[in-house]
């Protein structure tokens, strides 16, 4: 804001040049300007977690059907990192972050009762972990995680997970969850 138009233009051009030098080393990536907008084009050989995840989510929305095991496992493996760009806070990113987080969470939680997946405890545990990485106080995910760990005989880890959830819940919402460990871990 404090630069003249020519200085700002020069500064942008220098930064774009530096960025182009970096992406040239990667290969299969190009930066171009069209109609006043900068575009990043990724070749087929370039892996981009965000692009892969959004393609899977869009396919799922269009078909309104369950994911194949292959697509589900790809989604889970790509989304394991949790939030999109967690260390970057910028207003223009909020919409992308929200679409990503809500899309991954809703998609994963919508398929946990699907007959093809509901008996695969390891996959369900990964799903719960991904959802909790995106939203650390997601009640459905902690219920799933504790129940599965308990069924797998990992009662201590199940209780630790619930306690960690409660601490985070209380820290963020300043209240206790309205359910107890006994309510969700599969006890009578």
């Amino acid at each position: 804001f404090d630069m003249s138009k020519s200085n700002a233009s020069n500064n942008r051009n220098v930064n774009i040049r530096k960025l182009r030098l970096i992406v040239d080393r990667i290969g299969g990536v190009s930066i171009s300007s069209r109609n006043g907008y900068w575009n990043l084009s990724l070749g087929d050989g370039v892996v981009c977690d965000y692009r892969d995840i959004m393609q899977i989510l869009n396919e799922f929305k269009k078909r309104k059907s369950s994911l194949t095991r292959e697509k589900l496992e790809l989604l889970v493996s790509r989304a394991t990192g949790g939030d999109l760009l967690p260390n970057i806070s910028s207003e223009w990113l909020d919409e992308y972050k929200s679409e990503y987080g809500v899309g991954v969470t809703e998609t994963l939680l919508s398929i946990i009762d699907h007959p093809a997946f509901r008996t695969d405890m390891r996959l369900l545990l990964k799903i719960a972990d991904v959802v909790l990485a995106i939203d650390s106080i997601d009640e459905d995910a902690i219920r799933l995680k504790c129940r599965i760990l308990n069924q797998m005989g990992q009662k201590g880890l199940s209780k630790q997970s619930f306690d960690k959830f409660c601490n985070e819940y209380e820290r963020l919402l300043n209240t206790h969850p309205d359910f107890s460990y006994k309510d969700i871990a599969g006890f009578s």
Side-chain angles (χ1 to χ4, degrees):
F1 294 107
D2 61 342
M3 290 185 186
S4 68
K5 186 173 181 168
S6 64
N7 284 347
S9 178
N10 184 51
N11 191 29
R12 181 190 65 232
N13 291 339
V14 168
N15 286 319
I16 292 294
R17 173 77 179 130
K18 288 178 183 177
L19 191 55
R20 280 191 171 131
L21 291 172
I22 292 169
V23 298
D24 282 347
R25 284 186 273 171
I26 296 171
V29 179
S30 65
I31 299 173
S32 61
S33 177
R34 280 179 261 162
N35 300 326
Y37 291 97
W38 288 98
N39 295 291
L40 183 69
S41 299
L42 305 175
D44 291 335
V46 177
V47 174
C48 175
D49 293 349
Y50 176 76
R51 178 182 62 179
D52 293 346
I53 288 169
M54 296 312 288
Q55 284 175 347
I56 293 169
L57 295 179
N58 288 331
E59 286 176 25
F60 183 73
K61 277 186 209 174
K62 284 180 186 174
R63 293 189 187 151
K64 294 290 183 196
S65 62
S66 66
L67 296 172
T68 64
R69 177 168 290 279
E70 179 185 6
K71 292 282 185 172
L72 178 59
E73 288 176 355
L74 180 63
L75 174 60
V76 169
S77 71
R78 294 283 198 260
T80 301
D83 281 333
L84 178 65
L85 303 170
N87 298 322
I88 299 175
S89 181
S90 190
E91 192 174 316
W92 69 269
L93 272 176
D94 290 346
E95 183 179 339
Y96 296 98
K97 289 178 154 198
S98 178
E99 180 183 13
Y100 173 89
V102 169
V104 171
T105 299
E106 286 181 354
T107 300
L108 291 178
L109 290 176
S110 74
I111 58 95
I112 59 175
D113 287 325
H114 189 280
F117 308 119
R118 71 172 158 225
T119 59
D120 188 338
M121 297 299 168
R122 297 219 183 276
L123 178 61
L124 292 174
L125 189 56
K126 287 179 186 177
I127 288 171
D129 285 338
V130 167
V131 172
L132 288 168
I134 292 170
D135 179 4
S136 61
I137 58 170
D138 188 285
E139 295 178 13
D140 293 325
I142 196 62
R143 289 174 192 272
L144 177 64
K145 182 173 184 167
C146 290
R147 181 177 48 85
I148 290 169
L149 286 171
N150 196 41
Q151 288 174 355
M152 295 171 76
Q154 297 181 352
K155 292 172 178 34
L157 189 54
S158 175
K159 180 70 167 96
Q160 277 181 340
S161 298
F162 183 75
D163 291 343
K164 180 181 175 187
F165 167 83
C166 287
N167 289 337
E168 184 72 0
Y169 194 96
E170 291 170 20
R171 185 182 72 78
L172 293 174
L173 302 178
N174 202 28
T175 186
H176 299 287
D178 61 353
F179 53 90
S180 71
Y181 177 69
K182 286 184 179 181
D183 294 335
I184 64 172
F187 298 117
S188 310

